[in-house]
Amino acid sequence: PKPQRRMARHRSKPMPKSLVTGIALLIIGGLCGLALTQTHQLTRAPIEENRTRQAQALLSELLGQEAPTNLRWVSGVANACGDWQFVRGAKAGYAGPIEYLALLRDTGASISLRVTRHQETPGIADFIDHSKEDYLPNLDNSPVEDWPSLDNISGATITHKALRAMAAQAQTLRRDAREQASCEAADA
């Protein structure tokens, strides 16, 4: 007779600790990613509506009356052929781009300007935040030709230089948009 072979029992070795940790991290990361995706889906529309309301409120504040909700923006300019124009743009600041919204009136002779987003140094550049300081609101409806000669704010030379450049850029964007829309022909 044939000798019987003993069946060797194979005991499974426990998984290495690093593999268990890796799998756990992968599962946790996947769940976190799923949670973030769902949160984004749930909050995207309300956030966008809030941004639109805030933008509309800022437009109305600058205009001094309820701003139209059907503005058509072309190359950063709204209402190119009207009595007033909104202009949005950006200029380089000390810590990155400074985005702005400007209202030009009286054929572009006067300007009101608000900074809408920036990364400038808190405390030093607070003067450009219209919700914290009255610096920009106090310049509302000032002649555009006065902006190049605005005094610098100590410690914020680059930020202040960007403000002067914004006023010049807004006037240029307005002029270009009016030419593109043939506003002078429509005015005649």
Side-chain angles (χ1 to χ4, degrees):
K2 289 186 182 178
Q4 284 189 343
R5 286 191 198 177
R6 274 190 164 171
M7 292 269 227
R9 280 194 161 170
H10 292 289
R11 291 190 183 193
S12 58
K13 292 183 181 178
M15 284 201 273
K17 213 173 196 180
S18 61
L19 183 60
V20 172
T21 303
I23 291 171
L25 285 175
L26 188 63
I27 291 170
I28 291 169
L31 290 173
C32 288
L34 181 63
L36 285 173
T37 301
Q38 291 303 312
T39 301
H40 174 71
Q41 292 296 327
L42 291 172
T43 60
R44 181 177 48 192
I47 289 172
E48 190 56 39
E49 288 171 12
N50 190 34
R51 285 182 180 154
T52 301
R53 272 194 306 277
Q54 287 177 337
Q56 189 66 25
L58 184 57
L59 294 172
S60 297
E61 175 189 323
L62 283 171
L63 197 54
Q65 64 187 42
E66 190 65 31
T69 56
N70 61 346
L71 290 172
R72 190 171 147 254
W73 292 85
V74 178
S75 302
V77 178
N79 198 37
C81 295
D83 295 336
W84 50 264
Q85 292 77 38
F86 285 122
V87 179
R88 60 183 172 202
K91 280 295 185 183
Y94 178 75
I98 302 174
E99 296 176 17
Y100 69 91
L101 177 68
L103 170 67
L104 291 142
R105 294 183 188 261
D106 307 321
T107 359
S110 71
I111 188 170
S112 299
L113 191 138
R114 297 292 185 274
V115 170
T116 56
R117 184 176 293 171
H118 71 88
Q119 299 170 343
E120 300 301 276
T121 307
I124 295 174
D126 285 349
F127 71 96
I128 65 174
D129 187 343
H130 65 277
S131 66
K132 292 181 181 178
E133 299 283 337
D134 288 335
Y135 182 77
L136 288 175
N138 286 340
L139 294 170
D140 282 356
N141 298 311
S142 60
V144 175
E145 68 259 5
D146 289 355
W147 279 67
S149 60
L150 290 177
D151 290 335
N152 275 332
I153 303 291
S154 181
T157 306
I158 295 171
T159 304
H160 213 272
K161 182 179 176 183
L163 285 177
R164 292 190 297 268
M166 287 176 212
Q169 182 186 53
Q171 197 170 32
T172 300
L173 290 172
R174 176 200 171 273
R175 183 196 66 229
D176 294 349
R178 288 182 60 81
E179 287 174 6
Q180 183 181 355
S182 303
C183 295
E184 285 70 27
D187 292 342

